[in-house]
Amino acid sequence: MRDGITFHDGTPFDAEAVKKTIDRILDKNAPTPKANMFGMIKEVKVVDPHKVQLILHYPFAGLLSVLASAEGGIISPKAIEQYGKDLSKHPVGTGPFVFESWTPGQEIVLVKNSSSMTLGRYESFAVDHIGMNVTKKPFDDVRVRQAIAHAIDKEAIIQGVYNNVGKVAVSSLGPKVIGYSPNLKTPDYDLNKAKQLLAEAGYANGFKATVYLNDNKARINVAEVLQSQLKGIGIDLQIQVMEFGAYLDLAAKGQAQMFISGWGNATGDADYNQYNLFHSTSKGVPGNHSFYANPKVDELIEAGRKEKDPQKRKAIYEQAQQIEIDEVPLIPYRSSENLAAIAKNVQGITISPSGYVEINDVTIQ
């Protein structure tokens, strides 16, 4: 850690702060949503005020990308003690703006700490997808899931809903993510093939189903397009729009037949998507809302975590992604882009692929 850095509350940004942050994440008596991401860490040792040693349960090639991302953000020890469970309402950082207040649904007020400012078109790590709960009929039959994949015209969604902002997704990984492969074979838009697969699965006349989603306007529009497209193969799709928290709760409990969602990536590494979306231990709250489980995929994801050679890791993740595409727990349809309106007198602002507005180099003319 660099010398002389302090949090906005005056607390030193040092090795003790790193240890307290990670120990808090791994506290089994009060687990946080990030516990799954840091589970490979066995112990944090303070070597000196500006150096820590991380002892791991097993090798994890993606550790540095996690620590360098917002997921690895270090928290002020003073703030942890002061705010407890309300910490998310009182963020304390080290950057150019200091948090002043937050009125949910209305505004966040930041006060200038040193210098900076806010927006263009920037490629993103995030991918939007349509999911199916593989434990619920008729989606427990892979042929039904494959039929739906063949019945979705992704190009029409990108053009009609997003006005060509974003690109057709190849897999659950965006093109900028480490582990992405352009060599994957994805289902073509083919209604005849879709109808054939449904007939083979015993649903020649289609069936009724419900897709769940949160009250995001774009996703509501996607649901309406999906409803129209699936009607072409005899599927009567009902749309259930919910408040975001209620939707997440329902999906995490495995109560959603189909769902429209997305997954960002704060680290830029394949593990962030693969482990949370597809590993069998991530069913429910961590992110595997398809309740998908495949021992071979688990094995590959775990191997990808431990492999140090970048090319070997890429090959491992390519194999895992191809299995996921073939078994269709999720249908990735859009690699997203981040848009921002930037005043002409504002220079140097960008949005990182992980979706964060980078304001450290901003100048105002």
Side-chain angles (χ1 to χ4, degrees), residues 59-241:
F60 178 45
L63 181 59
L64 290 179
S65 64
V66 172
L67 293 173
S69 73
E71 300 294 344
I74 305 305
I75 303 171
S76 161
K78 180 180 176 181
I80 291 174
E81 296 299 328
Q82 182 175 352
Y83 298 116
K85 293 182 179 180
D86 288 331
L87 183 61
S88 63
K89 299 176 183 178
H90 303 277
V92 178
T94 61
F97 287 92
V98 180
F99 173 82
E100 182 173 274
S101 65
W102 171 35
T103 305
Q106 295 184 35
E107 66 175 5
I108 295 175
V109 178
L110 305 177
V111 178
K112 189 175 181 180
N113 184 36
S114 55
S115 61
S116 299
M117 295 264 8
T118 215
L119 280 145
R121 190 163 178 165
Y122 306 93
E123 199 163 5
S124 169
F125 289 148
V127 173
D128 296 310
H129 57 248
I130 296 159
M132 291 160 281
N133 188 325
V134 302
T135 67
K136 289 186 174 294
K137 288 186 177 297
F139 303 107
D140 57 342
D141 190 321
V142 68
R143 293 169 296 185
V144 171
R145 304 196 300 271
Q146 290 170 342
I148 291 174
H150 281 294
I152 295 175
D153 184 349
K154 298 179 183 179
E155 286 281 3
I157 293 175
I158 304 300
Q159 294 173 9
V161 175
Y162 294 98
N163 197 27
N164 289 318
V165 174
K167 298 179 176 66
V168 170
V170 173
S171 82
S172 64
L173 301 182
K176 292 286 188 180
V177 176
I178 295 170
Y180 171 83
S181 171
N183 303 320
L184 298 168
K185 297 179 181 178
T186 59
D188 296 327
Y189 174 56
D190 187 337
L191 291 181
N192 290 330
K193 180 66 173 178
K195 291 175 181 177
Q196 177 189 333
L197 286 164
L198 278 188
E200 290 175 4
Y203 298 97
N205 296 320
F207 55 84
K208 290 184 177 181
T210 301
V211 63
Y212 294 84
L213 58 146
N214 71 300
D215 50 358
N216 173 288
K217 178 59 178 173
R219 287 182 182 160
I220 294 172
N221 292 341
V222 170
E224 292 170 349
V225 174
L226 181 65
Q227 182 183 55
S228 176
Q229 291 184 353
L230 294 189
K231 187 176 181 180
I233 58 171
I235 296 177
D236 180 6
L237 188 67
Q238 304 301 307
I239 299 171
Q240 184 66 51
V241 179

Side-chain angles (χ1 to χ4, degrees), residues 29-47:
N29 295 320
T32 72
K34 294 184 181 180
N36 194 45
M37 190 174 299
F38 288 83
M40 75 295 297
I41 298 177
K42 180 180 180 180
E43 183 183 359
V44 182
K45 292 184 177 181
V46 174
V47 178

